[in-house]
Amino acid sequence: MRIGVLGAGQLGRMLALAGYPLAKDFVFYDMSGSPSAGLGEVIIDRDGQYLEDFLSRVDRVTYEFEHLPVDVAEKLAKRTTVHPSPRALQVCQNREAEKTLFGQLGIPTPEWKVADSADSLRAAAEALGCPVVAKSITEGYDGKGQAVLKTPDDADDAWAGIGHPRVIVEKFVNFRREVSIIAVRGEDGDVAFYPIAENTHHEGILRYSIAPAPGLESHVQQDAEKYIKALLNELNYVGVLTLELFETTEGLVANEMAPRVHNSGHWTIEGAMTSQFENHIRAVSGHALGNVQARGLSCMINIIGEHGDIERILELPYAHVHLYNKGERPGRKLGHVNILADSYEELVWRVRNCAQFLPGSPEFKSTLTTKG
Ligand code: AMP
């Protein structure tokens, strides 16, 4: 089976690495002009001229990137099987549509409003009560296109800084920690849920994911499963879906979702019985889903901007290194290291030991290292 992947970055690369043992072939379709998957066939098509060519080479289509024109996915869906559906892509591209769907399905979100001018941003900030977070409705990721307003007087600067015609304004959530749940749904409607991961960001970029999230009460995992299941079923979704949430003293609050494999699920490569990548390939190919249980305790450390001393990390008996074959550049995701351990105490020690060889890594902080 030949799987066509829209997008050609490291997520596509890891999908292919998981798909080869199942005898899948991969064709990547790249509209950015800078593919980095580094394997499989790659079609670079900035202007959408080679869609027919792409279609002729694949048996079904999926995504590893969601910021591509929905009409491209819709055109493809008329001609071949596209998983997940273009509707999922459309919802995930638009924070207003996404938060509206969360509300319809009873998934808690921060209180929010929409603003389309500096004045309406100020009015929204006043109505919600500061602090608030303003985010561009479309095209934002890794914290880009966002501003925190400490008072409504920040509205003019925030509006100018974001530079978008429409923003969503959310009440600032005092979260205990950020978490994510990854689930997979097969063509037959079967659903499986990975354990929740605890995620630490620095300068808007994910740095560490610990899974299973330490100290998680079982009802929190159940709530997250209920929310993501509602989304999967509503969207008649096939493949891996990620839901990012804030854990607060009053329970989970949804932030956003991604219609694809996700950086907070990279721990599953060695840390789960079946990785998120293999399960996505299984699902979109119409196969049975694989076991999603954790093999032990894991922490994923992102390699950002510079590679650091990879040779030293390779010497660590508990570290698994994944490199994306990309050039160094500030803020760029170059690879990740998965650390496995039998106890959280051992995990913290191993993560710190590894992170010392990654000069760009912020100090390891998590609920394992701070009280509260
Ligand atoms: P996003 O692009 O929506 O994932 O936001 C990027 C980061 O900004 C999140 O990972 C949070 O750390 C922070 N953030 C976003 N929305 C809120 C919010 N409503 N309250 C508090 N922090 C937020």
Side-chain angles (χ1 to χ4, degrees):
M1 184 185 285
R2 299 162 307 168
I3 299 181
V5 181
L6 302 177
Q10 68 267 13
L11 299 178
R13 177 184 178 86
M14 290 185 273
L15 282 172
L17 289 171
Y20 289 141
L22 298 174
K24 310 297 177 195
D25 286 322
F26 290 85
V27 183
F28 294 97
Y29 182 80
D30 173 81
M31 297 187 83
S32 73
S34 52
S36 65
L39 34 69
E41 246 185 284
V42 182
I43 296 179
I44 299 179
D45 191 7
R46 284 169 180 270
D47 312 312
Q49 292 176 46
Y50 304 118
L51 266 186
E52 283 302 321
D53 192 20
F54 176 60
L55 263 169
S56 71
R57 286 161 199 263
V58 301
D59 301 309
R60 43 187 68 198
V61 170
T62 189
Y63 324 86
E64 63 93 72
F65 179 68
E66 68 270 38
H67 297 286
L68 47 91
V70 176
D71 66 329
V72 169
E74 281 169 347
K75 260 190 224 168
L76 292 166
K78 288 201 178 102
R79 306 274 302 280
T80 189
T81 304
V82 176
H83 288 320
S85 65
R87 182 173 165 226
L89 194 67
Q90 192 170 27
V91 172
C92 294
Q93 281 182 0
N94 185 304
R95 291 185 190 272
E96 191 180 353
E98 189 178 59
K99 290 257 160 40
T100 302
L101 181 63
F102 289 167
Q104 285 164 355
L105 297 175
I107 302 171
T109 66
E111 216 185 314
W112 61 274
K113 289 182 178 300
V114 164
D116 56 9
S117 66
D119 285 345
S120 62
L121 174 55
R122 172 188 290 270
E126 272 165 3
L128 291 168
C130 281
V132 294
V133 188
K135 306 174 181 178
S136 64
I137 296 262
T138 56
E139 286 150 45
Y141 65 95
D142 281 352
K144 294 190 180 76
Q146 299 191 6
V148 175
L149 283 74
K150 294 211 173 77
T151 81
D153 290 340
D154 294 338
D156 286 339
D157 285 349
W159 182 258
I162 294 171
H164 262 260
R166 207 170 157 82
V167 300
I168 191 165
V169 192
E170 297 173 9
K171 194 135 176 89
F172 191 89
V173 178
N174 272 322
F175 51 81
R176 178 173 168 246
R177 59 179 168 181
E178 294 189 66
V179 298
S180 57
I181 182 157
I182 293 181
V184 56
R185 185 170 180 273
E187 276 189 338
D188 58 1
D190 191 20
V191 178
F193 310 96
Y194 285 97
I196 285 181
E198 171 181 322
N199 303 320
T200 306
H201 297 84
H202 181 74
E203 292 168 351
I205 303 175
L206 180 68
R207 301 296 175 140
Y208 299 98
S209 284
I210 304 169
L216 195 84
E217 292 176 59
S218 61
H219 71 86
V220 178
Q221 175 79 28
Q222 286 158 13
D223 285 347
E225 291 183 5
K226 190 173 73 185
Y227 300 151
I228 200 166
K229 189 171 182 182
L231 288 163
L232 289 166
N233 289 338
E234 166 65 25
L235 295 168
N236 198 14
Y237 196 97
V238 175
V240 163
L241 177 70
T242 307
L243 179 61
E244 295 184 69
L245 303 136
F246 301 121
E247 191 187 8
T248 75
T249 45
E250 278 101 51
L252 293 171
V253 176
N255 180 27
E256 61 179 356
M257 61 177 173
R260 52 169 170 79
V261 289
H262 193 260
N263 197 169
S264 66
H266 291 3
W267 66 271
T268 61
I269 299 178
E270 287 88 14
M273 298 296 284
T274 314
S275 77
Q276 61 165 348
F277 301 101
E278 179 178 336
N279 255 331
H280 186 74
I281 296 301
R282 283 174 176 243
V284 303
S285 308
H287 300 312
L289 305 179
N291 182 347
V292 286
Q293 270 180 350
R295 289 178 193 267
L297 307 177
S298 298
C299 181
M300 188 270 335
I301 311 174
N302 261 342
I303 303 175
I304 307 287
E306 51 185 312
H307 282 105
D309 197 343
I310 295 292
E311 290 304 324
R312 294 297 299 277
I313 297 174
L314 285 168
E315 288 169 11
L316 303 173
Y318 43 76
H320 299 270
V321 177
H322 299 262
L323 299 176
Y324 311 151
N325 209 6
K326 286 161 78 173
E328 296 187 340
R329 197 167 71 204
R332 197 174 199 205
K333 290 178 179 168
L334 304 175
H336 68 271
V337 185
N338 285 342
I339 305 283
L340 275 97
D342 295 322
S343 71
Y344 285 118
E345 203 181 15
E346 185 180 57
L347 191 66
V348 171
W349 181 84
R350 289 180 172 182
V351 169
R352 287 204 171 118
N353 210 21
C354 175
Q356 67 177 310
F357 302 120
L358 296 170
S361 273
E363 191 196 337
F364 176 49
K365 286 205 184 101
S366 74
T367 55
L368 293 172
T369 59
T370 49
K371 286 193 195 116

